[in-house]
Amino acid sequence: MAKESSKSKIMRETAENLRKTLSEVLPLLENIGDEAASVKPLPDKWSKKEILGHLIDSACNNQQKFVRTMAEKHVEFVGYQQNFWVDSQKYNAANWLGLVNLWQAYNLHLAHLIENVDSEILANEITIEGAGTFSLRFIMKDYVEHLKHHLGQILPEANLKNEFQNIYNT
């Protein structure tokens, strides 16, 4: 029973880490103008809009990973072609504050999901396009670190600490 409590506590802490990150960066994101968010630092590098679009895609993909892994002991999951997703959705032409609002709302939902996951299923596993086998607990915690990594690209002045490791080699 103590082991289950510590797992639940870890997920509550992970959800709170996500919510805290959202509340810290939201005012900074809202202060970026639409035009400034569209600037690409180099032709082959993403703009702030495209990075945030990638984070929306990540939220969408991770919601699928989380819920599917909650439902089964082991899941085989497809990877995703992040450059295609970003390019095909034309994030650079989207409204910046609309993207910010969608990103925030999606992540508040993911924090709710993470906080309320049953501790008994945190050991369920997922294999993502042949890359390793990861526990539900790991992918939930890693999601928040990935988010902070990319927010650091948009907002270097925020000095967001993260422990992100690119486990998918993409």
Side-chain angles (χ1 to χ4, degrees):
M1 186 69 169
K3 189 173 184 180
E4 284 182 328
S5 295
S6 67
K7 286 182 180 179
S8 297
K9 180 180 179 205
I10 289 169
M11 292 297 92
R12 281 193 305 273
E13 289 171 354
T14 300
E16 188 53 38
N17 183 11
L18 178 53
R19 285 189 194 101
K20 180 177 180 264
T21 301
L22 296 174
S23 68
E24 286 175 3
V25 303
L26 187 61
L28 301 172
L29 292 171
E30 290 172 335
N31 282 332
I32 298 171
D34 195 75
E35 190 174 322
S38 299
V39 174
K40 293 173 79 69
L42 294 169
D44 63 337
K45 297 290 182 190
W46 287 341
S47 67
K48 289 174 174 31
K49 284 183 178 181
E50 290 168 321
I51 295 169
L52 197 66
H54 167 67
L55 288 176
I56 292 166
D57 296 342
S58 177
C60 173
N61 275 276
N62 277 282
Q63 180 193 24
Q64 290 282 320
K65 290 175 192 173
F66 297 168
V67 175
R68 291 175 188 278
T69 306
M70 290 165 67
E72 298 181 39
K73 290 262 187 223
H74 183 85
V75 174
E76 295 286 333
F77 199 80
V78 297
Y80 90 104
Q81 299 170 350
Q82 63 185 17
N83 290 323
F84 176 80
W85 278 58
V86 168
D87 292 344
S88 67
Q89 294 180 79
K90 308 296 183 216
Y91 283 119
N92 224 27
N95 174 274
W96 174 246
L97 290 179
L99 292 175
V100 170
N101 291 333
L102 175 58
W103 171 81
Q104 179 199 26
Y106 217 135
N107 278 284
L108 287 172
H109 175 67
L110 291 180
H112 171 78
L113 192 160
I114 291 167
E115 183 173 56
N116 288 289
V117 65
D118 289 335
S119 60
E120 300 84 37
I121 60 174
L122 288 172
N124 286 6
E125 296 179 333
I126 185 169
T127 301
I128 303 156
E129 201 164 278
T133 298
F134 308 102
S135 69
L136 177 59
R137 176 181 177 267
F138 175 83
I139 63 170
M140 287 180 161
K141 289 179 63 67
D142 183 67
Y143 171 75
V144 179
E145 298 307 310
H146 172 261
L147 176 131
K148 291 191 296 185
H149 166 74
H150 285 297
L151 286 173
Q153 295 172 324
I154 298 172
L155 301 164
E157 69 277 11
N159 292 319
L160 295 171
K161 305 285 185 252
N162 71 79
E163 299 174 18
F164 175 66
Q165 303 172 39
N166 190 348
I167 59 173
Y168 309 116
N169 298 318
T170 60

